């Protein structure tokens, strides 16, 4: 897939599941559980041992059906290895201009993490495709709206504290997608991958309902008074 196709697919998916585990095998089980629940974009965090092997395996198994990215990409060395392993996008908790430039060089979607307006603009000016608002649970959905007011041209993906209950609020206030970690994959810590699948399916269904409601409201607004 070309970069623009990957970027569009992420927007259509609306969510990126965060896979973070204590071993490569656990990460694979966690990822497969998310995919079984309907997740179509996920990141494998580089805090996971054997993350490169996990990315390679998932790309081989799900090429053309699920987007596989790398997370916690802190430097260009890690980014280059992830690209060679098949990662289709890069996510980080911070802004590293060199990583963003490397991603642009190889036409890979980059989503660096930022919190303040200065960091968000810095990421955008360096060429980031989407800016990950992190840690979003420290500021809440209204903060996304506050950022969007002066920066409506920058695509934002809040990550941290996204739940089924507040999912709609993040989109209401301007998120183009969300990153979801423990509220989806938490049961994997106890080996309960069936519950991870159930959580993933619930998030996918909830997002579909949110979009349907939004489309209906837009349609009604477009009709105007009769």
């Amino acid at each position: 897939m070309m970069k623009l196709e990957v970027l569009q697919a992420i927007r259509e998916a609306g969510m990126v599941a965060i896979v973070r585990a204590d071993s490569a095998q656990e990460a694979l089980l966690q990822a497969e559980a998310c995919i079984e629940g309907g997740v179509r974009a996920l990141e494998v965090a580089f805090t996971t041992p054997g993350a490169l092997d996990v990315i390679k395996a998932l790309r081989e198994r799900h090429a053309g059906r699920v987007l596989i990215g790398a997370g916690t990409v802190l430097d260009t060395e890690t980014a280059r290895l992830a690209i060679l392993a098949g990662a289709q996008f890069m996510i980080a908790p911070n802004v590293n201009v060199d990583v963003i430039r490397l991603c642009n060089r190889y036409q890979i979607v980059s989503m660096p993490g930022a919190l303040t307006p200065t960091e968000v603009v810095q990421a955008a000016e360096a060429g980031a495709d989407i800016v990950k608002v992190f840690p979003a649970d420290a500021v809440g959905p209204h903060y996304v709206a506050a950022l969007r007011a002066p920066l409506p041209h920058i695509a934002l993906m809040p990550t941290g504290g996204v739940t089924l209950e507040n999912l709609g609020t993040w989109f209401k206030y301007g998120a183009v997608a969300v990153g979801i970690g423990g509220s989806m994959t938490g049961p994997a810590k106890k080996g309960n991958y069936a519950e991870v699948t159930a959580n993933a399916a619930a998030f996918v269904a909830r997002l579909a309902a949110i979009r349907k409601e939004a489309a209906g409201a837009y349609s009604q607004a477009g009709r105007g008074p009769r």
Side-chain angles (χ1 to χ4, degrees), residues 22-39:
D22 294 329
S23 71
Q25 181 59 27
E26 289 176 14
L28 281 169
L29 290 171
Q30 192 178 125
E32 293 292 357
C34 290
I35 292 169
E36 186 176 348
V39 166

Side-chain angles (χ1 to χ4, degrees), residues 91-177:
I91 297 182
N94 65 312
V95 178
N96 184 317
V97 173
D98 290 333
V99 170
I100 297 171
R101 288 173 177 166
L102 184 141
C103 287
N104 285 331
R105 182 181 306 144
Y106 294 105
Q107 290 298 290
I108 299 294
V109 171
S110 64
M111 294 185 274
L115 187 63
T116 68
T118 298
E119 292 170 342
V120 170
V121 171
Q122 180 187 16
E125 287 180 342
D129 298 292
I130 295 174
V131 178
K132 166 185 168 180
V133 180
F134 178 81
D137 50 348
V139 290
H142 284 87
Y143 186 73
V144 173
L147 287 175
R148 290 277 296 163
L151 306 171
H153 55 291
I154 300 178
L156 303 175
M157 183 180 78
T159 301
V162 177
T163 66
L164 274 173
E165 292 72 25
N166 65 25
L167 185 63
T169 308
W170 294 107
F171 286 98
K172 176 182 177 182
Y173 288 120
V176 299

